[in-house]
Amino acid sequence: MEEIILQILDALRRGETVDDRALVKLVHAQARRAGGDKRAFAKRRLLPFYQRVKSEDPERWARWGITPELEEGLIKVLRMKPRRSASGVATITVITKPWPCSGSCIFCPSDVRMPKSYLADEPACARAEQACFDPYLQVSARLTALSQMGHATDKIELIVLGGTWSDYPVEYQIWFMRELFRALNDDATVGESGSSARVGSSDESGIAFAPPGSSAAPASFGPVAASVSPGASAASASFDPAAAPALLDPVATEAVQREVTDGHLSYNQAIAQLYGTSTAWREAARVQRATMDELEREQRRNETARHRVVGLVIETRPDAITPEALVAIRRMGATKIQMGVQSVDQRVLDANGRGIRVAQIERAFSLLRLFGFKIHAHFMVNLLGSTPEADRLDYQRFVAELAFQPDEVKLYPCALIESSRLRGRYEAGEWRPYTEDELVGVLIDDVLATPAYCRVSRMIRDFSSGDIMAGNKKPNLRQMVESRLRERSEQTGERVQEIRFREIATSDVDVRALRLEVVPYETPAASERFLQWVTPEGRIAGFLRLSLPKAAAVEALASELRAAGCEPPVQPGEAMIREVHVYGMAARVGEEGGAAQHHGLGRKLVERACELACEAGYERINVISAVGTREYYRHLGFYDHGLYQQCKIRTEGMLHHG
């Protein structure tokens, strides 16, 4: 390991570029010299080795003569999956525990070990199951893994998945959120150097497993991770083992799963049978509760913590979005809502058992805009009852019609999973998966129809090919679509406006060449302004979403909330900043660098948004700030104001405190 590190450092000192190909050559050469397996020198092992030497053997590390500039280059070479923080933020996805689902969609998998629609083989789900769905442990494990892969973890976006958030008891929701913040505040597994103090052995995901019978966790809890604070003993684990239920009996679980797959039990009946009769899970539920005061205490700690939450996402259904629910979700710290739309064709929704009216989807979009949330919608092609041409028209309506126009989309094809009710329709010949050409053709047209203010975040679910009975099994579907897009663009001159296709990602950018563009569009609830920093080639380096709410919509919301006994969170004459994002590799808070994040682009976006709001006649501007960005906005002149941060706008449109 040391020999490879030293060779990389020598190459960097000579001004040479060490890319993945060069690194592979170094690894293979060292394996030959050592007469060992090249996997022993794999890239994923090099960075943890470097971090361990720096932390535990400072004299040895000092002999390597590493300057800050040299270390930056070394980390860049050794970093695993650099795209994970290329948007400027490190993402941690956590999964809530299995729970009855209020929906009954025929395409949803029914894996009784998971929340509805998720499979145990999906990476985030596998990590959650290993941690017994404990949120503290899930966050701690990912912090360790991200650090060991070379990613800065100062700015974290938390994504909470698990079906419909509002289906869970409120006490569980608050507890889950408190534990997420507490894990980040405690910095339970990651030390200053990126090393971790853990009990037992660990797998590649970074989760530590306590040996059965050890003091880290009771043997009855099985392979429960016991992440402890650096320097703490195993007995003082920084989580409560009582909150992590024992694993289910695999034989009983498999038997119940077969009943569900064969259609003899519903998912909800299976959940009641497996978990409702488990003493461990009932006891866990008894302690999985917290007060809002406890959550807000952890939120205040996070404002200046090492790992700050700069975005918090929850997942729900359109029919679960009400003003009262959004008030509660906002108090918990959420800034973005993932919402399962799937289609805006009522015929298709009905055929697939969605149980949702298009009017409910329209209302959900308007409410989310008025509350300032970023809207991340799920949309599916190849659903039962649709066709390639119908899919194209459905998506065009979704991204262009005033009532919808999402900020972000998970656009993916329907895939047949054995445990879904779609299997019966497939076997009856009523549904078929699109051919590859049909599917890629639909997705190409959908991406081309996506406007400049919308980001297509994903094109596949994380289902393994072994779980998919019929449908797309290629994990590189997006790359296939983008390759065809580039070919088509060269032939026809059509340009892709969608955000992800244009992101600067890890590229350097000449800030002097950037221009600030404003893309206006209308919705029933607000006039929207999408501000974007773009390069001469049209690539995007940062953006801001500004909503100018319509007075009638604000007054209608206020009336509805007062009737429910809630104080309206927004008032007439107040504009709303729904999102500010500047691209570039995630850097540590306060650390200077050459990425786009470090040139004041965010502040300039906010200042321009204030000018636009002032010109439109608004007197104040709110921002739906995440807990970890409150300090940033305070420095810009915003003050805490209810569910948001707010500032008055001077007549010339500049920020004004007070």
Side-chain angles (χ1 to χ4, degrees), residues 597-611:
Q597 291 188 357
H598 308 288
H599 295 277
L601 297 182
R603 180 187 181 93
K604 292 173 183 176
L605 284 168
V606 173
E607 289 176 347
R608 181 58 180 144
C610 289
E611 291 171 359

Side-chain angles (χ1 to χ4, degrees), residues 128-335:
E129 186 178 36
Q130 288 171 330
C132 290
F133 300 94
D134 185 281
Y136 190 104
L137 299 178
Q138 292 182 66
V139 169
S140 298
R142 291 309 289 159
L143 282 177
T144 297
L146 287 166
S147 179
Q148 290 180 344
M149 288 191 291
H151 298 281
T153 55
D154 297 59
K155 291 176 280 188
I156 298 292
E157 181 181 46
L158 290 170
I159 301 178
V160 181
L161 301 181
T164 305
W165 176 253
S166 301
D167 284 350
Y168 289 89
V170 173
E171 296 88 351
Y172 174 82
Q173 295 175 28
I174 298 173
W175 169 81
F176 198 93
M177 291 297 186
R178 185 198 69 183
E179 292 301 280
L180 296 179
F181 281 101
R182 191 166 70 90
L184 293 171
N185 295 339
D186 288 355
D187 196 8
T189 61
V190 184
E192 288 299 318
S193 66
S195 63
S196 58
R198 295 176 306 210
V199 179
S201 61
S202 67
D203 71 351
E204 294 177 13
S205 71
I207 295 181
F209 296 98
S214 75
S215 60
S220 61
F221 283 84
V224 176
S227 302
V228 300
S229 301
S233 66
S236 61
S238 56
F239 78 104
D240 181 4
L247 298 180
L248 298 173
D249 175 67
V251 176
T253 303
E254 185 176 351
V256 172
Q257 181 63 64
R258 179 48 54 189
E259 290 284 294
V260 172
T261 301
D262 290 344
H264 302 312
L265 277 180
S266 71
Y267 172 84
N268 287 356
Q269 289 171 332
I271 294 299
Q273 182 173 321
L274 279 174
Y275 301 94
T277 60
S278 167
T279 301
W281 281 82
R282 289 202 308 270
E283 286 300 303
R286 186 176 57 82
V287 297
Q288 288 172 345
R289 56 184 63 198
T291 66
M292 188 60 74
D293 284 345
E294 291 171 338
L295 170 57
E296 290 175 346
R297 188 179 308 122
E298 294 297 336
Q299 289 176 339
R300 287 191 294 271
R301 286 180 63 199
N302 191 253
E303 291 179 13
T304 55
R306 179 185 171 195
H307 308 291
R308 301 182 196 176
V309 177
V310 300
L312 199 163
V313 188
I314 64 102
E315 182 181 33
T316 190
R317 290 163 51 97
D319 53 338
I321 291 176
T322 66
E324 299 89 336
L326 293 183
V327 169
I329 290 168
R330 179 63 196 131
R331 282 194 69 189
M332 293 178 201
T335 56

Side-chain angles (χ1 to χ4, degrees), residues 85-111:
S85 56
S87 65
V89 174
T91 298
I92 293 179
T93 299
V94 295
I95 309 292
T96 51
K97 67 182 179 181
W99 193 257
C101 178
S102 57
S104 186
C105 309
I106 69 168
F107 50 79
C108 268
S110 295
D111 187 333

Side-chain angles (χ1 to χ4, degrees), residues 57 131 157 253 256 313 349 406 439 455 493 506 549 606 613 622 657:
D57 194 350
E157 181 181 46
T253 303
V256 172
V313 188
L349 291 174
L439 176 59
R455 184 178 191 268
T506 59
V606 173
N622 297 317
H657 182 83

Side-chain angles (χ1 to χ4, degrees), residues 506-569:
T506 59
S507 304
D508 291 330
V509 62
D510 181 359
V511 176
R512 296 167 300 179
L514 294 176
R515 67 182 184 276
L516 182 57
E517 293 182 350
V518 179
V519 180
Y521 59 104
E522 291 296 318
T523 75
S527 296
E528 297 283 336
R529 301 291 184 268
F530 181 72
L531 287 65
Q532 59 175 350
W533 286 113
V534 292
T535 68
E537 300 77 29
R539 301 185 68 196
I540 187 166
F543 62 84
L544 180 149
R545 300 184 189 277
L546 171 66
S547 281
L548 304 174
K550 297 177 179 178
V554 174
E555 290 167 1
L557 173 63
S559 176
E560 186 172 351
L561 279 167
R562 289 193 183 99
C566 299
E567 186 64 25

